[in-house]
Amino acid sequence: MQVPVPRFLIPSILLSTSLLWAQQSSSTAATELVGLWGAEQMFGPMVRGELILDGRGGGMRARIAGFEVAVERQKGRVRFVLPGDKGEFRGRVETDGKVIRGLWIQPPGFALNQRYASPVELSLLAPQVWRGQVVPLDHRTSFYLTIERGADGSLPAYLRNPEANWFGQNHYDFSRDGDKIALRCRQQPLRCYDEEGTYDAENNRILLSLVTGAPPLQLTRRAPALTLGFAPRAPLKAPYVYQKPITEDDGWPTATLTEVGIDPKPIAALIEKILNADPAENAFNIQGLLIARHGKLVLEEYFYGFSKERPHDMRSASKTFGPLLVGVARDRGYPIGPETLLYPLFPEYKSFANPDPRKQEIKLGDLMNMTSGLGCEDHNPNSKGSENYMQEQTEQPDWYKFALDLPMVKDPGGEDAVYCSSDINLLAGAVRNVTKTFLPEFFEEHIARPMQFRTFHMNLMPTGEGYAGGGLHLRPRDQIKLGELYLRGGVWNGKQVISRAWVMDSLKVRANFPPRPGVDFDQDHGYGYAWHSHPLKVGDRVFRDYYAGGNGGQMVIILPELDMVVLFTGGNYNEYPKIFAWELDLLPRYVIPAVRDAAKPAGR
């Protein structure tokens, strides 16, 4: 029987029905967008390629990428600057005149907002004509949006940026209203923001403004199994097959895992764990895993679109090069070492803010141990001396002066380390001042070249000098050489790069860091000359490691008892519980047990 409807209820019922239909229609339209969407962009300077220095006819001219400018020559040194701050070259002519070694300095860009110095070697092409290749640092930025269909009818979504992990573990609710789309944070962590965009139905694209100051990104549909950057490998489900690393001209001899006494099965299990990681959780955003044992490279695996020729940001793992620079300078007779007082090395500054007699007691060894006493705690968001604050402020572009002006918060020395990037950067300033050499040039001559680095990209401070607090980009095969150098007592490929005495002093645990908040398994965290150290328990044995560590999962790990070096490169930036677990969990669970010698009781 039909029940009559009062007239005054008809409009409200029709309105409710209309709203319900609109909601269902909107939900249906949103469901159509379930799946993976992606956008990739490559940022890099336009000036690159062949560089010609032509000294015929008296004056020297430089030609590159359509520019032609005059070159300054003075006592074997050559230098030119392109107009419009498009690039700069600094070099020197070798004694025989056949080679010009130098550094190309690329300008700040959209994605890389600092200048970088990269090595360039020019060879004699004709009398008074030299030719070389400029290869600047490029930056790939990828964004992936995954929209899923929840069992309750919801549309959970998450964003991934493998290069910088801008969105971390943020999860969203996706919705669509016509051509408008929205991502609303499901939780409210510190770095989660709602996102809004549009859907271009005609071209089947999602437009999202995820990069400040850039046009909206145009995300297109992707097949997850074939999307490098989102998938660890393409195709996603391809079975892992171990391959011996290829021997190249970079100084690394290679061998198989079994040839150096490593069981391939636990290593394969670790690789499978990386390959099968849930992208929604992003727990194993490991982008590179390399292992060397008995002086040979035996494992070389890359994921998420990274490769052996793609330089990887070492972040703070490159801090360890700071003390290495000091040791190299000392070995070459310069008056510098752990006992050298800091402030007298900077006579160019007539005075310092926050005067304190304790400043005159700071030694370079205190900087290397991060026990300077200066108020520069990186992990304290309220610290006015943190690396983030220093790099974001614009009042003082000279970061040496910025650090030296900081107040003292405790006496220098002692065993309580405070994580401070400025401590390590000041080491490099000390090396610059005692050697009177441009830091990238000193690095190229005394570290990169003898260690057969194929290239490097050193980030520079606003003043144009090299920055040692982190951010050096190296190929992974060159990164792992840092660990091998210290494992071999300062020798790389038969050449003594740094003295054995310096290596032994560097690896001594002199200070300690407290466990990081939220990382309850970070215990007994020792620190040497920019080398972290942990004891790793495996069965009834304990192995002490030493590692250069950086945000995101950059770890060069030395295991002296096993004569082994392990390298992780990764993209879990600012997710410290995850990246610490790579060293403290994955290493003792998969890598160390794979070493047949590690299975033997200690002392046998």
Side-chain angles (χ1 to χ4, degrees):
M1 182 175 69
Q2 185 175 6
V3 178
V5 180
R7 286 179 59 87
F8 67 90
L9 291 180
I10 292 176
S12 61
I13 290 176
L14 290 176
L15 179 60
S16 299
T17 304
S18 176
L19 286 173
L20 179 60
W21 178 86
Q23 291 170 353
Q24 292 174 339
S25 177
S26 176
S27 176
T28 301
T31 302
E32 294 174 354
L33 303 186
V34 166
L36 175 65
W37 302 76
E40 298 90 3
Q41 292 185 331
M42 185 72 76
F43 297 96
M46 296 295 293
V47 178
R48 62 183 64 225
E50 184 181 74
L51 169 61
I52 295 287
L53 297 186
D54 192 338
R56 295 174 296 178
M60 178 177 281
R61 308 287 292 178
R63 294 191 296 273
I64 182 171
F67 287 94
E68 183 169 345
V69 296
V71 178
E72 301 175 16
R73 299 187 68 172
Q74 187 176 12
K75 296 181 180 180
R77 296 278 176 173
V78 294
R79 182 177 181 179
F80 68 86
V81 179
L82 297 182
D85 191 27
K86 297 297 184 182
E88 177 184 350
F89 178 79
R90 302 184 187 186
R92 66 183 183 276
V93 183
E94 296 294 296
T95 305
D96 60 6
K98 295 181 179 180
V99 173
I100 296 178
R101 299 186 190 277
L103 293 150
W104 177 258
I105 301 172
Q106 70 186 70
F110 180 79
L112 300 169
N113 58 8
Q114 295 174 312
R115 286 179 284 179
Y116 284 81
S118 308
V120 180
E121 181 176 311
L122 298 93
S123 301
L124 194 66
L125 179 65
Q128 292 299 307
V129 180
W130 293 263
R131 178 176 64 184
Q133 290 289 320
V134 168
V135 183
L137 177 62
D138 289 323
H139 183 74
R140 172 179 168 175
T141 302
S142 310
F143 297 90
Y144 301 104
L145 168 65
T146 296
I147 306 168
E148 299 177 337
R149 193 194 314 268
D152 59 355
S154 64
L155 295 173
Y158 57 89
L159 288 160
R160 286 287 170 266
N161 166 237
E163 291 81 13
N165 197 31
W166 285 351
F167 307 100
Q169 282 300 288
N170 298 344
H171 286 254
Y172 306 84
D173 283 312
F174 178 81
S175 63
R176 175 186 174 189
D177 183 6
D179 65 346
K180 304 297 183 184
I181 62 170
L183 296 166
R184 306 297 182 197
C185 292
R186 284 197 158 193
Q187 76 282 26
Q188 291 297 329
L190 185 63
R191 299 175 60 202
C192 189
Y193 304 95
D194 293 343
E195 307 287 349
E196 295 183 347
T198 59
Y199 173 60
D200 177 2
E202 181 179 354
N203 296 294
N204 196 24
R205 298 178 302 184
I206 289 177
L207 282 71
L208 285 172
S209 296
L210 300 177
V211 182
T212 302
L217 291 168
Q218 301 182 23
L219 287 79
T220 58
R221 281 198 180 275
R222 301 300 171 85
L226 300 177
T227 304
L228 286 174
F230 178 80
R233 291 241 173 108
L236 186 60
K237 296 300 182 182
Y240 171 67
V241 178
Y242 168 76
Q243 295 286 344
K244 170 187 170 183
I246 298 172
T247 302
E248 299 187 7
D249 59 351
D250 59 0
W252 270 118
T254 64
T256 65
L257 290 167
T258 55
E259 287 172 339
V260 297
I262 297 178
D263 183 354
K265 291 181 180 178
I267 302 300
L270 174 56
I271 302 297
E272 291 288 355
K273 190 176 185 68
I274 298 170
L275 293 175
N276 295 310
D278 182 357
E281 296 302 324
N282 200 31
F284 297 101
N285 191 3
I286 295 172
Q287 296 162 343
L289 174 59
L290 283 72
I291 297 176
R293 189 164 196 236
H294 301 333
K296 298 177 181 179
L297 188 65
V298 296
L299 183 79
E300 183 180 19
E301 302 290 350
Y302 302 101
F303 314 94
Y304 297 102
F306 285 80
S307 64
K308 65 183 181 66
E309 296 304 325
R310 183 177 174 182
H312 201 290
D313 189 352
M314 294 185 72
R315 297 296 287 261
S316 287
S318 61
K319 279 182 169 67
T320 308
F321 284 108
L324 179 56
L325 287 167
V326 175
V328 167
R330 189 187 69 165
D331 285 353
R332 280 151 183 76
Y334 291 100
I336 191 171
E339 298 301 316
T340 306
L341 293 173
L342 170 66
Y343 276 79
L345 295 177
F346 292 87
E348 64 268 34
Y349 307 124
K350 304 305 180 185
S351 63
F352 301 99
N354 299 299
D356 190 312
R358 292 177 294 179
K359 287 188 174 183
Q360 302 307 317
E361 301 174 9
I362 300 175
K363 301 174 182 179
L364 297 191
D366 300 325
L367 299 178
M368 291 188 281
N369 297 332
M370 290 198 185
T371 57
S372 69
L374 291 168
C376 54
E377 186 176 357
D378 287 356
H379 297 151
N380 180 355
N382 298 318
S383 173
K384 294 298 181 67
S386 69
E387 183 181 43
N388 285 344
Y389 186 91
M390 177 181 70
Q391 295 188 358
E392 291 171 1
Q393 60 84 36
T394 56
E395 294 179 3
Q396 178 52 271
D398 184 340
W399 293 349
Y400 297 147
K401 186 67 164 61
F402 176 92
L404 294 167
D405 279 344
L406 291 171
M408 295 291 290
V409 295
K410 69 181 187 71
D411 293 343
E415 297 180 355
D416 296 327
V418 176
Y419 199 85
C420 170
S421 294
S422 284
D423 277 357
I424 303 299
N425 190 47
L426 284 172
L427 287 175
V431 172
R432 191 275 309 266
N433 280 4
V434 299
T435 64
K436 311 298 182 186
T437 306
F438 183 43
L439 273 173
E441 181 179 325
F442 192 85
F443 179 85
E444 189 277 334
E445 180 177 359
H446 298 294
I447 296 178
R449 205 186 320 157
M451 292 183 67
Q452 297 174 274
F453 291 177
R454 186 162 293 172
T455 189
F456 67 83
H457 306 279
M458 180 180 287
N459 47 328
L460 309 182
M461 299 186 294
T463 57
E465 188 52 89
Y467 179 62
L472 180 72
H473 285 66
L474 291 178
R475 295 188 321 142
R477 284 176 71 125
D478 293 333
Q479 288 187 34
I480 195 173
K481 291 176 184 177
L482 175 62
E484 187 69 17
L485 178 73
Y486 278 73
L487 185 61
R488 301 287 158 225
V491 175
W492 168 254
N493 205 13
K495 182 177 179 63
Q496 193 81 43
V497 178
I498 184 70
S499 67
R500 182 177 183 83
W502 185 264
V503 168
M504 301 306 293
D505 283 346
S506 298
L507 296 180
K508 287 181 181 178
V509 174
R510 303 168 183 273
N512 293 276
F513 284 107
R516 291 199 62 136
V519 188
D520 54 2
F521 49 81
D522 178 20
Q523 304 295 328
D524 190 16
H525 187 155
Y527 199 64
Y529 288 168
W531 284 99
H532 301 264
S533 181
H534 279 114
L536 304 176
K537 192 173 188 329
V538 181
D540 61 350
R541 297 188 62 180
V542 175
F543 301 86
R544 178 159 287 277
D545 73 2
Y546 303 87
Y547 71 93
N551 193 355
Q554 326 316 321
M555 294 183 181
V556 183
I557 306 170
I558 306 171
L559 290 159
E561 291 178 79
L562 300 178
D563 196 28
M564 185 163 67
V565 185
V566 179
L567 172 72
F568 287 103
T569 62
N572 278 124
Y573 296 101
N574 300 315
E575 296 183 300
Y576 293 100
K578 292 181 180 179
I579 60 178
F580 279 12
W582 300 356
E583 174 226 359
L584 298 175
D585 179 39
L586 298 185
L587 211 60
R589 184 146 49 115
Y590 293 97
V591 179
I592 294 176
V595 181
R596 296 191 174 100
D597 298 347
K600 299 177 182 178
R604 292 187 183 178

